[in-house]
Amino acid sequence: TLLKAALEKDANHLPALGTLASLAARRARYAEAVAYAERALAVDTYDGTANYVAGFCAFATGDLPTAKERLGLASFRAEYRAPSYALLAKIALREKDWSEALKLADRALDVNRLSFDALHARIVALRKAGRTEDAARFAREALERLPLFHAARYELGKAGGKEDFRDLVRGEFPHETYVDLGTWYEESGLLEEARELYAFAGD
């Protein structure tokens, strides 16, 4: 309500437009989010928040060319560099361009070495490129810093590890962990892994 009141006073108020776009995107109201983002971009083509939200919404709705364009622009802003590159890495995974996914994940990790999406994308890209030993080593390194990073432990199993990652999924709602992971793989176009994880979640 207060953000909309700010727009009544100044229809081009970028912080209000960006925040409203972000809030709409979080509620999966993608058309509404894009409408706010486009209003902001009409004022400033390089606005980081508007570009990131527009790119995220384009990714969520399957418009990958627009997602790449907007996320590329968002990456020029320091605060959006890591998440933009991490999301671009997921797009590269969806397009089965493993080397590009690896490059983009590395760029994200240069900015934020604890970006879960980038860490995950890097391990997957290595495994899919046939570099299973590198994937397993990187997954183990990630787990040394993040022992509850279930995605890395799942990938370690895919890369030849013997332990079952499900042994350490001990939260109150383990099915949510499997669904969250399955969703990540589905969004990245990796449907075989997604189906396996959804099956782990049960009914």
Side-chain angles (χ1 to χ4, degrees):
T1 300
L2 291 170
L3 290 164
K4 289 178 179 177
L7 291 180
E8 289 177 6
K9 293 182 176 294
D10 178 1
N12 296 324
H13 191 263
L14 288 175
L17 288 168
T19 306
L20 283 165
S22 298
L23 289 170
R26 286 177 182 273
R27 299 167 75 181
R29 295 180 175 177
Y30 299 126
E32 180 183 342
V34 169
Y36 282 121
E38 287 180 347
R39 283 175 60 183
L41 292 170
V43 178
D44 179 3
T45 305
Y46 299 99
D47 183 78
T49 302
N51 274 302
Y52 182 77
V53 171
F56 175 86
C57 292
F59 173 80
T61 55
D63 182 358
L64 300 189
T66 299
K68 288 195 269 192
E69 178 185 356
R70 291 299 177 204
L71 293 169
L73 288 168
S75 71
F76 285 107
R77 297 294 296 270
E79 65 268 36
Y80 291 103
R81 194 162 296 145
S84 294
Y85 280 135
L87 197 47
L88 285 165
K90 288 179 76 173
I91 292 173
L93 290 177
R94 188 184 288 192
E95 295 175 338
K96 303 192 183 321
D97 189 341
W98 316 128
S99 61
E100 182 70 6
L102 183 59
K103 179 178 76 176
L104 291 163
D106 282 341
R107 286 183 181 174
L109 291 169
D110 284 342
V111 182
N112 178 6
R113 62 193 296 266
L114 293 179
S115 166
F116 280 24
D117 272 341
L119 289 166
H120 197 173
R122 190 177 200 280
I123 299 168
V124 172
L126 287 168
R127 175 172 64 84
K128 289 292 187 178
R131 297 169 57 184
T132 52
E133 289 184 10
D134 291 336
R137 183 173 62 254
F138 189 73
R140 283 192 289 271
E141 290 172 359
L143 286 167
E144 286 175 7
R145 287 177 288 154
L146 303 163
L148 293 179
F149 186 23
H150 296 303
R153 189 164 278 107
Y154 174 72
E155 277 296 321
L156 191 56
K158 288 287 183 188
K162 294 184 171 32
E163 64 274 16
D164 187 339
F165 91 110
R166 289 177 291 178
D167 291 341
L168 289 174
V169 178
R170 300 175 183 167
E172 186 177 359
F173 303 106
H175 60 279
E176 291 185 0
T177 299
Y178 300 131
V179 170
D180 285 346
L181 272 176
T183 300
W184 192 96
Y185 282 97
E186 185 177 358
E187 288 175 344
S188 302
L190 305 169
L191 302 186
E192 180 182 338
E193 292 89 339
R195 289 190 189 98
E196 180 178 44
L197 287 156
Y198 290 148
F200 291 159
D203 293 340

